[in-house]
Amino acid sequence: MAEVLSAHAEGLTGRPEAMQRLNVTAKERSRMSPLFRLAERLQQSMQPVQPPTAFVHSLGKELTDNAKRQIALTKRLRQAVMIVAAALGSLVSIASLVGAIIFVVVRLRARAQARTLRTPVG
Amino acid sequence: MHEESDSALIARAKEDPEAFGLLYERYAAGIYNYIYYRTSNHHDAEDLTARTFYRALKHISRYVDRGAPFSAYLYRIAHNIVANWHRDHSRQRIISLDELVMGSPKREEPAAVAEEREEQDLLLQAVRRLPSERQQLLILKFVEQMSNAEIAQVMGRTEGAIKSLYHRTLVALRKELASVGNGWEEITERMKDEQETNG
């Protein structure tokens, strides 16, 4: 029954082939006729309405302007993120370099001290 | 000229504001219709249509194309916005101007036109008393003229589930109309007889 009603509705909305594929007997058809009639009345009563042209136009313009601002903001945000990331990267690199230099200096000093201590006096 | 696909427009909309404008032009009327039939007045239909597209625009950069049509995404947003609107308005019953204008028969109207209008009002009122998903199904089917497959995508169900929901909806609507009494069936019968006599 759901299949037949559905095919009937498809027929009402311009797709009659669904109903043609089904073999509906006259008895079935008469049993379902109140629901068919209800569907037909629904189809007649629920007609598309046209949105006011001025509204469609002004909302379209507002949305496009808003999209422009949103894209510009996203771009600026992306740029800011890139700058911050680059700055952080540079800081980390400099810190690593300084760390490495300090490490090498400390090691060299420690070696020099050790050599001084091992050298016999006189 | 070949029309640009929704997927291409969505991808472009992340960088090009005009692309979102094209998507809007493609679906504005459909979304407006859907909301109009759910709210029954033009003023709220305009307001909620604007909110739907603003929300879609806000999230377009994070939209992931999973194969479902973009319209399904828009109808889902509209459905949620309308549900919130109904929740906010549930405490107060507002009779819209559209209802007053459409609902009351004009004095100069011929009797047959007035009767048809009365029948249509009864039917649409009964539709508005149905649960929201059943209203959604009827609007997508009769106003938007979508196929069962398209409705299934919008409502996130299988085609079989849509067919059975449609069946249940018609049965419930018929019961609802019978419960309002004398009006509907009688008018429909009379109009059918008149059509047969004239035809």
Side-chain angles (χ1 to χ4, degrees):
Chain A
M1 194 156 171
E3 203 67 46
V4 177
L5 283 171
S6 217
H8 173 258
E10 295 275 89
L12 291 176
T13 51
R15 287 175 281 265
E17 60 281 353
M19 196 66 177
Q20 285 157 7
R21 277 200 299 268
L22 294 173
N23 281 324
V24 187
T25 62
K27 197 179 165 192
E28 280 174 325
R29 204 176 274 274
S30 89
R31 192 161 56 92
M32 281 190 263
S33 73
L35 292 179
F36 283 166
R37 220 157 44 230
L38 177 58
E40 282 152 22
R41 294 305 293 156
L42 279 168
Q43 199 252 335
Q44 285 159 12
S45 304
M46 298 181 86
Q47 290 294 317
V49 290
Q50 206 55 41
T53 320
F55 161 74
V56 174
H57 185 75
S58 76
L59 179 60
K61 199 179 168 315
E62 276 175 35
L63 285 166
T64 311
D65 290 345
N66 218 287
K68 272 181 201 156
R69 277 199 296 276
Q70 193 171 300
I71 290 167
L73 191 75
T74 312
K75 271 184 188 164
R76 274 209 298 277
L77 208 72
R78 211 177 293 156
Q79 271 178 345
V81 168
M82 292 279 277
I83 290 167
V84 170
L88 278 175
S90 307
L91 275 176
V92 169
S93 307
I94 292 167
S96 316
L97 194 68
V98 169
I101 291 168
I102 290 170
F103 178 75
V104 170
V105 169
V106 168
R107 283 283 300 265
L108 285 175
R109 271 191 192 165
R111 260 190 220 169
Q113 252 177 356
R115 227 178 282 145
T116 320
L117 286 174
R118 261 185 265 136
T119 314
V121 183
Chain B
M1 210 179 91
H2 183 68
E3 202 179 50
E4 202 170 351
S5 72
D6 280 2
S7 304
L9 282 175
I10 294 161
R12 207 148 65 75
K14 292 172 184 174
E15 300 291 332
D16 175 9
E18 302 299 328
F20 190 82
L22 291 173
L23 283 169
Y24 162 75
E25 277 171 24
R26 201 169 279 182
Y27 296 110
I31 295 297
Y32 181 90
N33 262 282
Y34 173 72
I35 296 174
Y36 174 75
Y37 273 95
R38 293 295 311 278
T39 58
S40 77
N41 77 81
H42 286 285
H43 177 75
D44 288 318
E46 286 183 11
D47 180 26
L48 302 189
T49 301
R51 279 198 231 173
T52 302
F53 281 99
Y54 270 107
R55 194 176 288 182
L57 173 63
K58 194 177 164 194
H59 299 294
I60 195 82
S61 58
R62 275 174 281 153
Y63 179 85
V64 181
D65 192 350
R66 291 195 178 92
F70 184 62
S71 59
Y73 175 66
L74 289 175
Y75 281 110
R76 265 201 298 276
I77 296 177
H79 180 75
N80 292 337
I81 285 176
V82 169
N84 288 343
W85 180 87
H86 277 293
R87 205 177 45 221
D88 295 344
H89 288 71
S90 60
R91 284 185 203 149
Q92 54 197 63
R93 169 82 183 103
I94 297 168
I95 298 172
S96 70
L97 269 179
D98 296 345
E99 267 180 89
L100 288 174
V101 174
M102 298 287 285
S104 56
K106 293 183 183 91
R107 270 180 204 161
E108 334 59 273
E109 275 179 350
V113 178
E115 251 180 29
E116 189 169 348
R117 193 186 285 276
E118 188 190 339
E119 187 225 328
Q120 189 173 316
D121 284 347
L122 280 171
L123 184 57
L124 291 178
Q125 279 166 24
V127 168
R128 276 181 215 123
R129 284 194 295 273
L130 291 171
S132 82
E133 63 167 9
R134 293 182 178 188
Q135 287 184 49
Q136 185 181 21
L137 169 64
L138 293 180
I139 296 167
L140 295 178
K141 190 174 271 297
F142 293 112
V143 183
E144 309 289 348
Q145 311 234 316
M146 286 185 183
S147 66
N148 288 323
E150 289 167 323
I151 297 172
Q153 280 192 316
V154 170
M155 294 180 72
R157 290 171 173 230
T158 62
E159 220 179 309
I162 294 298
K163 287 176 186 174
S164 107
L165 181 65
Y166 175 63
H167 174 212
R168 290 199 305 274
T169 302
L170 282 190
V171 172
L173 190 60
R174 190 157 177 252
K175 268 189 196 156
E176 177 68 34
L177 288 164
S179 74
V180 295
N182 44 22
W184 199 81
E185 288 277 347
E186 274 179 29
I187 298 169
T188 311
E189 281 300 324
R190 203 159 49 236
M191 283 180 60
K192 195 184 160 223
D193 292 344
E194 275 168 17
Q195 274 170 4
E196 279 168 4
T197 316
N198 295 336

